[in-house]
Amino acid sequence: MHPSRAHLDRRQWLTLAVGALGWPTQALSQTTAKIDGVDVATTTFVRGKKLVLNGAGVRRRGYYKSNIVALYLPERLTTLEAIMKLDGPRRIQMLLLRDFSQSTVSRIFLADFKQAATDSEFKALINEVAEIGAIYNNVKRVEQGDKVNIDWQPGAGIIASLNDRQLNDKPINSELAYQIYLRMFMGPNVPEELRNRLLGLGNG
């Protein structure tokens, strides 16, 4: 054995082997993307279906950064219209950058949801809004570093989780409600930079 290679560990040997095959060695470590210094997974699974990171960006509330928002889809798409028509699971993930109380989270959700929905949609979804409110009532507090997933699972509905702990026992079976969730992060009232990042369009 060459003396300079006598102490190579398994990972180094694997890197050398992959390089010798002509494969990009960076692929070994590209399982996350850095968004504002936070690691965001480039793939995830919803009900056994692999989803890819469509885009991610920072959500601001006034002068402060509240969370990283990431969108996962079965395939990458660049328009909200195409995402809404997608036949498959979807995931909105929020990685918290600061602490929030239960009352603050509930207030933010209700304000954002009502802004993203039309008056008729909001009235039609009043029961679903109450169900979502009950989910937030189960969360006493969220803290910096927490992970919130809002999933759409075809055949089931909306399922929310906090740090991979499911929050609602019964899925909320309303695709319209989930579409409004999507508008909350990519609709016309959302800052252009965040909207474009979630759509994979860069800085905007």
Side-chain angles (χ1 to χ4, degrees):
M1 181 181 293
H2 192 284
S4 65
R5 295 185 180 176
H7 301 292
L8 292 178
D9 62 21
R10 185 174 180 276
R11 180 177 289 275
Q12 290 171 313
W13 275 114
L14 183 58
T15 300
L16 285 172
V18 171
L21 289 172
W23 296 346
T25 57
Q26 291 181 349
L28 293 173
S29 59
Q30 287 181 345
T31 57
T32 61
K34 284 282 188 185
I35 306 296
D36 203 54
V38 176
D39 287 329
V40 177
T42 54
T43 59
T44 192
F45 288 86
V46 172
R47 297 190 83 180
K49 175 75 173 181
K50 183 178 180 180
L51 305 183
V52 297
L53 180 65
N54 199 73
V58 177
R59 184 68 188 254
R60 295 176 180 272
R61 299 285 176 184
Y63 295 106
Y64 60 83
K65 300 173 182 178
S66 63
N67 55 272
I68 303 291
V69 185
L71 174 67
Y72 295 91
L73 304 172
E75 59 184 283
R76 290 186 177 88
L77 298 169
T78 58
T79 68
L80 180 57
E81 291 75 15
I83 292 169
M84 286 185 171
K85 293 177 182 177
L86 188 64
D87 182 17
R90 284 153 279 181
R91 166 168 286 174
I92 299 168
Q93 184 173 94
M94 289 166 278
L95 303 172
L96 277 295
L97 298 177
R98 58 182 293 138
D99 300 353
F100 290 98
S101 66
Q102 175 199 50
S103 59
T104 300
V105 170
S106 298
R107 177 173 49 80
I108 288 173
F109 159 73
L110 187 59
D112 286 355
F113 194 93
K114 194 168 185 179
Q115 185 180 50
T118 65
D119 288 343
S120 60
E121 287 172 338
F122 190 82
K123 291 176 183 177
L125 293 171
I126 195 67
N127 290 331
E128 286 78 3
V129 170
E131 290 183 66
I132 296 170
I135 294 174
Y136 287 116
N137 285 336
N138 289 330
V139 179
K140 302 305 179 186
R141 184 177 180 82
V142 290
E143 299 178 346
Q144 182 178 353
D146 282 350
K147 176 179 67 177
V148 177
N149 289 330
I150 307 295
D151 296 340
W152 172 256
Q153 300 182 5
I158 299 171
I159 293 180
S161 64
L162 172 63
N163 298 327
D164 298 319
R165 176 177 66 88
Q166 187 169 319
L167 296 175
N168 54 321
D169 296 329
K170 180 183 176 182
I172 300 171
N173 192 14
S174 171
E175 189 162 10
L176 175 59
Y178 199 79
Q179 289 181 350
I180 294 172
Y181 253 116
L182 292 169
R183 283 186 231 157
M184 285 164 58
F185 297 100
M186 288 172 284
N189 295 316
V190 176
E192 184 178 15
E193 180 178 357
L194 175 59
R195 180 170 62 250
N196 284 347
R197 284 189 177 277
L198 289 172
L199 293 173
L201 301 175
N203 294 330

